[in-house]
Amino acid sequence: MADASRIAVHVDGRDLELSNLDKVLYPATGFTKGEVIHYYTQIADTIIPHLADRPLTRIRYPNGVGRQGFFEKNAPAGMPSWVRHETLPVPGSTMHRDTIEFVVVDGLACLVWLANLAALELHVPQWKVGSVGPDLLVVDLDPGAPAGLDQCAEVAVLLRERLAADGIDALPKTSGKKGMQLMAPISGTQSSDVVSAYAKRVAEDLERKHPKLILSRMAKALRPGKVFIDWSQNAAAKTTVAPYSLRAEPAPTVSTPFTWDEVESGAVTPFVSDDVLARIDAYGDLFAPLLETGPAVPEK
């Protein structure tokens, strides 16, 4: 007798079996695994270029966001033979492993396969497979209560201006949780250490100029009411949630790109999956400039 909870589908030339589509993964809103798969299918043309050629870390929630999820870097057991995977060194591994076999998303079928595994969050490094160094610069803006997205937006504008003075054009997005991130295309010709050192200098410079608002040090005791500029995200071992990825919040929020006009007006609010699909219809991919090569960062 056929298992009614499993459905065979043909996606982009590949055969897949989807399961438990009615399973609720976001209990607070009733958002199901089928809706997760639908979202990633609808956003695929926009998100895949931002995942392409980057080793993927997933955060999976097979029992929904109300239960414990788990990070997954290794390619999982039972992976279809057609899924692209790359064996790569893992700098700074906490598990003392020299290499990991990573999944690399190269098309819709792979994205649907991952969504069916309840891989809600998709995280990637700032570098690509085979690259010399990072082709993206990223800074994470982490507000310490009572600071929130309003203060993050204020810091984002200051940070944009500081980076622009060095010829670097940054773009803003929400993290999909409490903060924001700025990302900028860079040359890909410098090491992660060089890029990270530059981001640290920028954060420290802004802290000196705006000490009541900005923090460049990681000490949590200093966080309340300020925005921590986390420059360390540029380390080779770090990953950042991809633009347009779902997050494991009570509602299916998304790491959402914004226009600078929205940030300057203070109109930065959390968006969920349906909102983001509507924004794609209205704006297209606001992060498309990240797919082009940018400048080298200044070296001290």
Side-chain angles (χ1 to χ4, degrees):
M1 185 175 181
D3 185 348
S5 70
R6 295 181 177 274
I7 300 174
V9 295
H10 194 66
V11 179
D12 205 20
R14 305 294 186 181
D15 291 319
L16 290 168
E17 188 175 69
L18 307 182
S19 62
N20 301 312
L21 298 182
D22 292 334
K23 187 171 188 176
V24 175
L25 297 184
Y26 290 85
T29 61
F31 201 75
T32 66
K33 187 162 84 166
E35 289 174 297
V36 168
I37 294 171
H38 177 72
Y39 169 74
Y40 275 122
T41 300
Q42 295 297 107
I43 204 76
D45 287 346
T46 306
I47 193 174
I48 287 173
H50 296 287
L51 303 174
D53 294 322
R54 299 185 192 275
L56 186 71
T57 296
R58 292 85 62 202
I59 310 183
R60 292 174 54 184
Y61 289 86
N63 296 309
V65 299
R67 305 287 291 277
Q68 185 68 39
F70 61 94
F71 276 86
E72 187 176 62
K73 288 182 178 287
N74 281 82
M79 178 179 67
S81 60
W82 47 261
V83 171
R84 182 182 171 190
H85 49 97
E86 299 281 351
T87 301
L88 300 170
V90 281
S93 170
T94 57
M95 302 297 290
H96 306 293
R97 292 176 291 198
D98 294 328
T99 62
I100 285 179
E101 187 178 11
F102 286 93
V103 169
V104 181
V105 175
D106 62 358
L108 175 61
C110 183
L111 194 61
V112 171
W113 169 70
L114 290 167
N116 187 58
L117 295 177
L120 302 183
E121 297 197 9
L122 307 177
H123 295 243
V124 288
Q126 280 47 266
W127 47 271
K128 293 181 178 179
V129 175
S131 66
V132 174
D135 62 319
L136 296 174
L137 179 146
V138 61
V139 287
D140 192 63
L141 304 181
D142 185 8
L149 280 174
D150 288 347
Q151 287 72 29
C152 285
E154 185 178 353
V155 173
V157 172
L158 295 171
L159 188 51
R160 175 193 61 174
E161 293 168 354
R162 175 62 182 80
L163 292 170
D166 289 330
I168 295 171
D169 295 324
L171 299 174
K173 71 182 179 80
T174 58
S175 68
K177 292 193 172 183
K178 65 177 182 176
M180 290 182 65
Q181 288 147 355
L182 262 62
M183 302 182 76
I186 54 176
S187 67
T189 61
Q190 298 163 294
S191 71
S192 296
D193 288 345
V194 168
V195 176
S196 190
Y198 168 70
K200 182 181 181 182
R201 293 197 303 273
V202 168
E204 290 172 341
D205 185 27
L206 286 173
E207 181 181 21
R208 282 191 296 271
K209 293 176 180 176
H210 306 277
K212 294 183 179 180
L213 177 62
I214 293 173
L215 186 67
S216 67
R217 291 160 289 166
M218 216 164 279
K220 289 189 176 181
L222 302 175
R223 297 272 186 96
K226 296 184 180 182
V227 175
F228 170 49
I229 299 179
D230 188 354
W231 49 267
S232 71
Q233 286 297 111
N234 296 282
K238 292 289 189 74
T239 61
T240 300
V241 65
Y244 308 108
S245 171
L246 289 167
R247 300 307 305 266
E249 293 289 279
T253 56
V254 174
S255 183
T256 308
F258 276 74
T259 69
W260 278 114
D261 285 345
E262 289 175 312
V263 175
E264 290 171 349
S265 69
V268 180
T269 58
F271 283 124
V272 296
S273 56
D274 284 347
D275 300 325
V276 173
L277 292 173
R279 286 174 65 83
I280 294 294
D281 290 339
Y283 296 118
D285 180 11
L286 291 173
F287 266 32
L290 295 184
L291 305 176
E292 304 295 329
T293 301
V297 303
E299 296 191 34
K300 192 171 182 179

